[in-house]
Amino acid sequence: MSIEVRHISKTFGRFRVLRDVSLRVETGELVALLGPSGSGKTTLLRIIAGLEQPDPGSGAILFHDEDVADQRVGDRAVGFVFQHYALFRHMTVFENIAFGLRVRPRRLRPSPVQIRQRVEWLLHLMQLDFLADRYPHQLSGGQRQRVALARALAIEPKVLLLDEPFGSLDAKVRQELRGWLRRLHDEIKLTSLFVTHDQEEALELADRIVVMNEGKIEQIGTPDEVFHSPKTEFVACFLGQVNRFSGRLERGKVHFATFEWLAPPEAQEISCLANIFVRPHDLQVLVEPNGQPTLAARIDHIHSAGPKVRLELTADNGQKLLAEITQDQYRTKQLSVGSRVFLNPQNIKVFPLPSQEGGKG
């Protein structure tokens, strides 16, 4: 069951939350809506669910090429999982999961036997069998969220929508549930769209990521595409840490700091100012110059706990920089706070300044 929205806009008062957004989620995909607070991602999810209405004049909302824009929430067959669980406190885990089936119109309601079979299957799928008779206050946060997901799946939805599903959980539980949700999705193959502001969560879970900012889509792509090949400065900065340099495109070359770099194909004919981005793991750290252009710097802080070692540095020109190296490199180079090092970028991303773009050399 695919999901598609076409030219959706939404305004609250004078604030335009969504600006002509179009998106298609293919059948069986797990797609993340990723962006900062206020980017419009939750509003878009609620419009797809039918919990919000788009502005008059907006385009279609399609489930498997059927326009559902005029259908009520209950008729869209959407499973919706909220950040704060929204479980019924006076009901057991079993009854919470069964609720959506029991309140169906009589002609559509499964028999008691069918309801029990469906709930027991979900309890087993969610590894909640031993908790069937407990109440929400007797559960951990991770268990509550699995109950909320089971309740959403009980009605056999056409699509599954999740709004910050792990946002209220601690870091360790979030990590565990991410892996669990990915395995669950691979098993049931239900078309799913989830909202998050957590970059790591989106990169780890999603088949594709939709990066949103100020009510519009900045980029859509696989985790590798949006992380390694950002299309805009916002995507480059929002997904992970970056070092930013001011430079210039001229005669097919990128000039920044002490470096000269071949311009990307699309910028070969442009002469203008540009912003250059280098991720910390793409800054090679040398203890001695290697005969190539390098940027001299001093190490200010070392963060060595974890699989990677993060270095905070100040270049000789005063610029603050971040570099990331392996634990083996850290031990081999014998680095310490105050060490003088030499930096050499291994990969860069170039963005011509908008006001300068299009100038010819």
Side-chain angles (χ1 to χ4, degrees):
M1 178 68 68
S2 61
I3 305 170
E4 185 175 2
V5 295
R6 297 175 181 170
H7 306 291
I8 296 296
S9 295
K10 179 64 177 178
T11 306
F12 290 112
R14 294 184 179 181
F15 182 57
R16 199 170 182 198
V17 183
L18 294 174
R19 305 166 183 265
D20 194 32
V21 171
S22 295
L23 168 68
R24 182 176 176 87
V25 179
E26 299 297 341
T27 300
E29 272 195 306
L30 177 59
V31 172
L33 294 175
L34 174 67
S37 297
S39 60
K41 54 192 187 296
T42 291
T43 300
L44 178 59
L45 195 78
R46 291 175 64 85
I47 285 173
I48 292 170
L51 298 171
E52 299 278 0
Q53 294 302 311
D55 288 346
S58 291
I61 302 167
L62 305 167
F63 287 179
H64 206 55
D65 299 325
E66 176 191 356
D67 194 348
V68 299
D70 294 328
Q71 290 185 9
R72 298 177 305 167
V73 179
D75 296 331
R76 295 191 189 189
V78 168
F80 201 103
V81 179
F82 297 90
Q83 177 178 348
H84 296 291
Y85 325 125
L87 299 179
F88 298 111
R89 291 177 293 177
H90 64 287
M91 292 184 181
T92 64
V93 167
F94 187 99
E95 292 303 323
N96 262 284
I97 297 172
F99 178 78
L101 299 172
R102 295 198 196 283
V103 298
R104 279 182 172 174
R106 186 174 297 276
R107 60 188 177 83
L108 300 175
R109 190 182 308 157
S111 69
V113 171
Q114 290 172 321
I115 290 174
R116 173 164 290 278
Q117 289 174 341
R118 176 72 178 170
V119 173
E120 288 177 347
W121 176 76
L122 285 165
L123 286 167
H124 178 71
L125 184 68
M126 302 292 171
Q127 300 170 0
L128 295 168
D129 311 65
F130 66 104
L131 299 173
D133 295 326
R134 294 194 188 177
Y135 290 87
H137 73 272
Q138 297 172 309
L139 308 178
S140 69
Q143 290 167 342
R144 291 178 197 171
Q145 194 57 287
R146 279 188 281 152
V147 174
L149 184 53
R151 187 177 63 180
L153 293 174
I155 62 171
E156 298 183 79
K158 296 177 182 177
V159 298
L160 180 65
L161 307 178
L162 306 101
D163 185 13
E164 300 272 11
F166 311 132
S168 58
L169 303 173
D170 64 55
K172 189 174 188 302
V173 176
R174 282 205 309 269
Q175 181 70 38
E176 292 172 353
L177 282 185
R178 284 204 295 264
W180 173 81
L181 180 58
R182 182 68 244 190
R183 292 191 296 272
L184 176 68
H185 179 267
D186 289 342
E187 181 174 343
I188 64 177
K189 297 294 185 185
L190 183 63
T191 306
S192 304
L193 187 61
F194 74 97
V195 161
T196 183
H197 64 270
D198 186 321
Q199 306 148 24
E200 183 180 332
E201 187 170 288
L203 291 169
E204 182 179 328
L205 265 178
D207 297 317
R208 286 191 302 149
I209 296 173
V210 180
V211 184
M212 297 187 66
N213 180 39
E214 296 183 345
K216 63 183 186 299
I217 292 175
E218 295 269 346
Q219 185 173 350
I220 304 174
T222 65
D224 276 353
E225 287 169 347
V226 296
F227 185 82
H228 294 295
S229 302
K231 299 297 184 186
T232 68
E233 287 193 29
F234 175 83
V235 176
C237 293
F238 187 73
L239 281 172
Q241 294 178 309
V242 290
N243 297 296
R244 177 174 176 168
F245 297 88
S246 296
R248 182 170 181 82
L249 284 163
E250 191 169 12
R251 297 180 182 178
K253 297 288 183 68
V254 183
H255 304 272
F256 67 103
T258 59
F259 307 106
E260 182 181 271
W261 203 280
L262 186 66
E266 66 274 13
Q268 287 285 322
E269 301 299 318
I270 297 175
S271 290
C272 66
L273 299 177
N275 287 324
I276 295 91
F277 295 90
V278 183
R279 294 209 182 274
H281 65 267
D282 285 326
L283 266 184
Q284 183 184 24
V285 179
L286 306 168
V287 293
E288 294 180 355
N290 61 356
Q292 300 176 357
T294 57
L295 188 62
R298 181 190 71 252
I299 298 177
D300 296 328
H301 297 284
I302 298 175
H303 304 271
S304 58
K308 297 285 187 180
V309 177
R310 187 159 51 92
L311 308 176
E312 295 182 16
L313 311 112
T314 301
D316 282 0
N317 64 3
Q319 183 170 357
K320 298 294 184 180
L321 299 169
L322 289 174
E324 193 176 78
I325 59 176
T326 65
Q327 288 283 355
D328 284 344
Q329 290 170 330
Y330 176 54
R331 287 189 291 268
T332 301
K333 296 177 187 294
Q334 297 183 329
L335 300 175
S336 60
V337 172
S339 293
R340 187 168 174 79
V341 295
F342 301 88
L343 308 174
N344 187 16
Q346 302 299 293
N347 186 30
I348 68 171
K349 299 300 173 190
V350 182
F351 297 96
L353 292 184
S355 60
Q356 300 281 326
E357 203 166 354
K360 296 291 181 181

